[in-house]
Amino acid sequence: MNKTPERFVKVAKSQLGVRFVPQGRAAYHALDCIGLPVVSAIAAGFEPAYISNYQLFSGYEERLIDYLSKNCDKISFDDAQPGDMCAFWIMRPSRPRHLGILTETDNEEESVKYGLIHTTDSQGKVVEHDLDFKWTKHIHSVWRLKGMKLWGAK
């Protein structure tokens, strides 16, 4: 299968509106912020390790980074493209607690380079919006799925 970021993003966008459920891994039915990239990656031809049965406290941050390290390559934000994933810190900059997928954007503001698709418990579903300053300032690290091609490559 063609492991392109375009396919990965397309599959993720097809999940827009799917309800948030902690540890959700049911495509088109129930997802959380890790479930969205996992089911999207599988549908796009990648073979990420499956992660579930985790707690949102006591070691969650380390488990998230360990999971990303096994399935992705860490890259700089300057090298990011749609289809890459951002781990976000919520309360402490050293502790990532949320994951989202970069998308393309039609926003012409120089400060907005990407869109972001992610599952959020505050809105109760998978959403997409611009990756604006509010989100950019909370980026802990950026990750690219192992084997993913460059955006636009055949």
Side-chain angles (χ1 to χ4, degrees):
M1 189 173 283
N2 200 359
K3 296 179 181 180
T4 66
E6 291 88 348
R7 174 89 176 124
F8 180 56
V9 168
K10 182 178 180 180
V11 173
K13 286 185 175 199
S14 74
Q15 307 292 327
L16 284 168
V18 170
R19 69 187 173 104
F20 167 81
V21 173
Q23 299 185 23
R25 299 293 180 276
Y28 305 104
H29 297 287
L31 297 167
D32 69 1
C33 73
I34 298 174
L36 174 64
V38 168
V39 301
S40 299
I42 291 169
F46 295 91
E47 298 176 9
Y50 197 79
I51 182 174
S52 63
N53 195 26
Y54 53 86
Q55 302 297 320
L56 294 179
F57 50 88
S58 183
Y60 171 78
E61 298 86 359
E62 292 81 14
R63 191 159 181 201
L64 175 60
I65 293 300
D66 183 57
Y67 177 77
L68 289 168
S69 296
K70 288 177 182 171
N71 294 283
C72 305
D73 295 312
K74 189 175 181 180
I75 62 170
S76 74
F77 185 72
D78 290 338
D79 293 331
Q81 65 180 15
D84 291 335
M85 293 175 283
C86 290
F88 296 93
W89 61 271
I90 303 297
M91 295 164 51
R92 295 187 204 157
S94 63
R95 304 179 99 177
R97 300 192 54 83
H98 189 64
L99 195 60
I101 302 168
L102 296 176
T103 64
E104 66 280 13
T105 183
D106 293 332
N107 191 323
E108 295 180 9
E109 289 184 38
E110 193 172 313
S111 64
V112 178
K113 191 173 178 182
Y114 300 105
L116 179 70
I117 185 167
H118 60 119
T119 308
T120 171
D121 61 346
S122 64
Q123 294 183 42
K125 61 186 177 181
V126 177
V127 299
E128 183 179 19
H129 54 77
D130 287 335
L131 182 73
D132 58 17
F133 178 72
K134 173 187 158 199
W135 285 92
T136 304
K137 71 180 181 178
H138 287 276
I139 293 174
H140 171 274
S141 50
V142 182
W143 302 84
R144 181 170 295 152
L145 282 164
K146 291 183 187 290
M148 182 174 284
K149 296 179 179 182
L150 293 177
W151 187 265
K154 300 268 177 188

